[in-house]
Amino acid sequence: MSVQTRSTQDPLWARVLLIGGMLAFLGLFLFVPLASVFVEAFRRGLAVYAAAITEENARSAITLTLTLAAICVPLNAVFGVTAAWAIAKFSFKGKSLLLALIDLPFAVSPVVSGLVYVLLFGANGLFGAWLQAHDIQIIFAVPGMALATIFVTFPFVARELIPLMQAQGNDQEYAALSLGASGWQTFLRVTLPNIKWALFYGIILCNARAMGEFGAVSVVSGHIRGETNTLPLHVEVLYNEYNSAAAFACASILSLLGLLTLALKTFIEWRAGLRHRNP
Amino acid sequence: MGKKRPRSILPGFGLSLGFTLAYLGLIVLFPLLLVFVKASGLGWSGLYHAVSTTRVLAACRLTFGLSALACLLNCVFGLLIAWVLVRYRFPGRGFLDASVDLPFAMPTAVAGIALTGIYAPNGWIGSLLAPYGIKVAFAPPGILIALVFIGLPFVVRTLQPVLEDFEIAQEEAAASLGATRWQTFRRVVFPQLAPALVTGTTLAFARAVGEYGSVVFIAGNMPGKTEIVPLLIITKLEQYDYAGATALAALMLLISFALLLLINFLQRKTLVRPTT
C-alpha cells in the first residue's frame, strides 16, 4: 500500500461514516450472532452447560463428527496433492476443464450433494437392491455420511495447492532429479516443504467444513439418535425439542471450532506471507 | 503456461492424473450425472409436472427472489467493507479483516440457530421490532438475513485483491485535474472495480440459492410461504417422492452449472482470479 496523499484520501466525515457503517453491519450480522451463541449456552449456568455437552447423545455426536473428519480430510488431502501434482507439474489437454470440474462441488447445493448418494445407494437407488441383498447399509449410516462429507469438502485442498504449485514451477524438482534423487525423494524433500503451509491451510478449511457440514449430511443421516447424528445434527434435534440451552451449548463447541479455524487461517496467512482472498 | 514441458523428466504423471480422474469421477461426476439420467427418465411431461406445481413455483420465487435481494445487499455492504479494510488504517482493522471469514468458518446450523434466537419475537433484536409489528424470524426477512450472512465474504474477498492492486496514481491524476473525491470514485475507481463486484455478487448469489443450514431454522418453513427450494427437496425425499426430488435437484444443478459458467467467464474476462 503506497502512501496516500491528501488528494486521494477520503474526507474525514466520509471515513467516519464508512467505518461506522462497516462496524454496524459486521456487528449486526457477525458479532451479535456469535456472542448470542455463548450467552445462550451459559444462560442456565455452568452445570447445565457441562451436562449438555457430556450427555451420552452429545458424546456420540462428537465422536461421529470427529470420525467423519478423520475419514474425509486425509482422503481429500491426498486427492488435493495428487491432483495438484498432475495439474501443476505437467501440461496436458483439457486442463482447464479438469480445474473447473474439481471446483464443481462448491457450486452444488449441499442438499443436492446428499441427494445424489441417496439416488445411488438408497433403498430405491441404483445399487439399492444389490446392497440390500448383501446386507450393506450406506445411506442412513456412516459410509453415506462420509461420502456426502467428502463431496462437499472435495475441492478445498486441491484449490489451495494448484495455483501455488503452478506459480512455483518445476525448476527445483528438475534440479533434485538431475542430482540423482528418486521421484519419491524429490516429492518428499523438495515439493512437500514448498507447499506445506498451503497444504495445512487447505486441510484446516476442509476440516472446518467437514465438521460443520449440515445440509448434505442431514439428507443421508436418517437422524438416528446416538448413532447417525453428527454434532450439527444434534444441535438441530435439541433446538427443535425447545431444549435451547443444550442446543446452544453444543453450538458453542462448533463456534469454538470455527474461531480456532479462523485464528489458524490468519496465522498461516501471516506466517507464510500468503495473501489469501479465497471465497 | 503455454510453454511445453518435457513430459518424461518428472515422474508420476500417469499415476497422479489417473487417481485424480478416478476419484473425481467416482465421488463427483458419476453421482451428478445420475441425477440427470434419473430426471430424464421422467420424460418432459413428468419433469414439467414435477416442477410446475404451485408449491414448487412459490419456493422458486422465494429462493431466487430473496437470493437476488441478499446478494444486492452484499454487493453494497461488501464494497463498503472492502473499501474500508483496504484504504483506511485504524486500530482493530486486522481483527475485522479476519472476522469477515466468520460465515465460512461457522457451521451453518450454528449461524441458523443464532440468527433465529436473535430475531425471534422474544430475541435480542426481534423483541425490539415486535412492538412495531415487524416479523423477521419465521418470515421472509429472516431468510434474507441468513442469506446476507452467508454471502458477505464472497463479495469482500473478491474485491479486496483488486482494490489492493489499484494504482493510486490514477486517483491522483483525477484529483489534479479537478475531480472531486466522489467524482473520482464514480468515474475512475468504480468502473475498474465493477467486474470484480459482479463476480463476487454472482458467487454470493450462487451460494444463497443452494443454502440450507442457516436458513431452515429462521425460515418458518410454511409451504408456499417461507419454504425454500433445498428444503422442498428434502421434504419430497422424506415423503418418498423421489421423482419430484430428482426433478428439482436437476433444475438446481442446471442453475448452479449456469452460474458457474458465468463466474468462470467473468473471471477470465476480467483476469480476476480470486484463487491466488
Side-chain angles (χ1 to χ4, degrees):
Chain A
M1 181 95 267
S2 65
V3 180
Q4 292 185 18
T5 59
R6 238 188 135 70
S7 66
T8 59
Q9 216 174 37
D10 298 337
L12 182 67
W13 64 265
R15 272 179 286 162
V16 171
L17 195 72
L18 292 181
I19 293 179
M22 177 181 78
L23 288 177
F25 188 87
L26 291 182
L28 202 61
F29 280 94
L30 303 186
F31 299 125
V32 171
L34 183 64
S36 82
V37 172
F38 292 96
V39 172
E40 297 288 336
F42 289 104
R43 177 166 293 221
R44 300 269 188 80
L46 209 60
V48 174
Y49 181 89
I53 61 172
T54 51
E55 171 254 348
E56 205 186 317
N57 286 327
R59 278 211 315 264
S60 88
I62 292 171
T63 312
L64 180 58
T65 297
L66 293 174
T67 311
L68 286 177
I71 296 169
C72 302
V73 176
L75 281 173
N76 280 342
V78 169
F79 164 74
V81 173
T82 319
W85 181 265
I87 290 170
K89 300 291 179 194
F90 303 93
S91 51
F92 54 93
K93 273 197 189 126
K95 193 187 273 192
S96 52
L97 177 68
L98 183 56
L99 277 169
L101 290 176
I102 288 175
D103 266 351
L104 205 54
F106 277 168
V108 175
S109 169
V111 169
V112 177
S113 313
L115 174 112
V116 296
Y117 293 108
V118 176
L119 294 181
L120 269 175
F121 303 117
N124 295 316
L126 194 59
F127 301 118
W130 188 87
L131 290 170
Q132 238 162 12
H134 292 78
D135 204 22
I136 303 169
Q137 184 137 27
I138 291 184
I139 297 304
F140 307 143
V142 176
M145 300 171 81
L147 279 169
T149 309
I150 291 173
F151 186 102
V152 293
T153 58
F154 189 85
F156 276 109
V157 178
R159 76 192 318 243
E160 292 305 327
L161 293 182
I162 292 167
L164 177 75
M165 281 167 71
Q166 278 180 332
Q168 283 173 345
N170 296 351
D171 294 349
Q172 294 191 26
E173 280 82 2
Y174 289 154
L177 288 173
S178 71
L179 292 172
S182 72
W184 190 237
Q185 281 173 326
T186 307
F187 172 74
L188 284 180
R189 305 262 183 93
V190 177
T191 310
L192 207 52
N194 278 337
I195 61 168
K196 63 173 189 246
W197 287 112
L199 179 60
F200 190 39
Y201 193 93
I203 285 175
I204 284 168
L205 296 186
C206 182
N207 180 61
R209 179 71 192 263
M211 289 189 174
E213 177 53 28
F214 180 74
V217 170
S218 169
V219 173
V220 292
S221 138
H223 303 98
I224 308 160
R225 274 199 148 186
E227 278 180 48
T228 60
N229 269 350
T230 62
L231 200 50
L233 295 176
H234 187 59
V235 168
E236 182 196 23
V237 170
L238 293 170
Y239 193 80
N240 288 340
E241 287 173 347
Y242 301 101
N243 193 349
S244 162
F248 277 102
C250 292
S252 75
I253 303 179
L254 289 166
S255 302
L256 285 178
L257 168 76
L259 291 175
L260 181 69
T261 304
L262 269 192
L264 281 172
K265 181 174 171 296
T266 311
F267 170 76
I268 300 169
E269 283 164 14
W270 167 78
R271 175 69 180 72
L274 295 170
R275 195 181 57 175
H276 254 290
R277 306 291 175 213
N278 207 352
Chain B
M1 296 293 91
K3 78 182 157 190
K4 271 220 159 91
R5 294 203 183 101
R7 195 174 277 182
S8 55
I9 295 182
L10 283 181
F13 176 67
L15 184 68
S16 60
L17 188 65
F19 177 75
T20 302
L21 292 177
Y23 193 74
L24 179 72
L26 285 177
I27 299 282
V28 179
L29 299 183
F30 178 63
L32 286 180
L33 200 65
L34 188 67
V35 175
F36 292 110
V37 172
K38 288 250 175 177
S40 66
L42 300 171
W44 284 114
S45 66
L47 277 175
Y48 181 76
H49 279 296
V51 296
S52 64
T53 64
T54 46
R55 189 174 175 184
V56 173
L57 291 177
C60 286
R61 260 199 305 275
L62 184 77
T63 306
F64 293 107
L66 288 177
S67 298
L69 204 55
C71 77
L72 285 179
L73 277 171
N74 276 328
C75 177
V76 173
F77 283 96
L79 175 61
L80 187 156
I81 291 168
W83 181 264
V84 170
L85 288 177
V86 174
R87 286 304 179 87
Y88 302 163
R89 289 293 171 273
F90 54 93
R93 195 190 61 93
F95 169 77
L96 291 173
D97 193 354
S99 70
V100 168
D101 279 333
L102 209 56
F104 286 155
M106 286 280 261
T108 51
V110 176
I113 66 166
L115 290 170
T116 312
I118 294 168
Y119 289 98
N122 59 351
W124 292 353
I125 298 175
S127 62
L128 301 176
L129 299 172
Y132 303 100
I134 303 171
K135 202 175 170 201
V136 179
F138 318 123
I143 304 177
L144 181 69
I145 285 175
L147 295 180
V148 170
F149 172 85
I150 51 118
L152 175 74
F154 290 100
V155 180
V156 179
R157 295 309 187 213
T158 313
L159 276 176
Q160 262 176 326
V162 184
L163 260 176
E164 275 164 7
D165 293 342
F166 195 84
E167 301 228 7
I168 296 281
Q170 293 186 41
E171 290 171 58
E172 281 166 354
S176 72
L177 290 171
T180 65
R181 194 70 193 120
W182 175 241
Q183 282 174 325
T184 308
F185 177 78
R186 250 191 52 201
R187 302 270 181 84
V188 178
V189 182
F190 186 76
Q192 298 184 56
L193 294 183
L197 195 58
V198 173
T199 307
T201 308
T202 315
L203 283 167
F205 180 76
R207 172 72 200 261
V209 166
E211 178 58 17
Y212 174 71
S214 58
V215 178
V216 275
F217 295 98
I218 205 167
N221 307 331
M222 294 267 294
K225 287 194 184 125
T226 53
E227 187 178 53
I228 53 166
V229 176
L231 175 70
L232 189 53
I233 293 178
I234 289 198
T235 310
K236 283 181 182 290
L237 265 183
E238 282 170 354
Q239 294 165 345
Y240 302 104
D241 177 8
Y242 287 99
T246 310
L248 261 183
L251 177 75
M252 292 292 280
L253 277 176
L254 282 179
I255 291 164
S256 310
F257 293 163
L259 286 169
L260 196 68
L261 281 177
L262 178 67
I263 290 162
N264 267 326
F265 170 75
L266 287 169
Q267 286 178 337
R268 203 161 299 172
K269 200 170 155 76
T270 58
L271 294 174
V272 177
R273 289 293 300 172
T275 33
T276 34

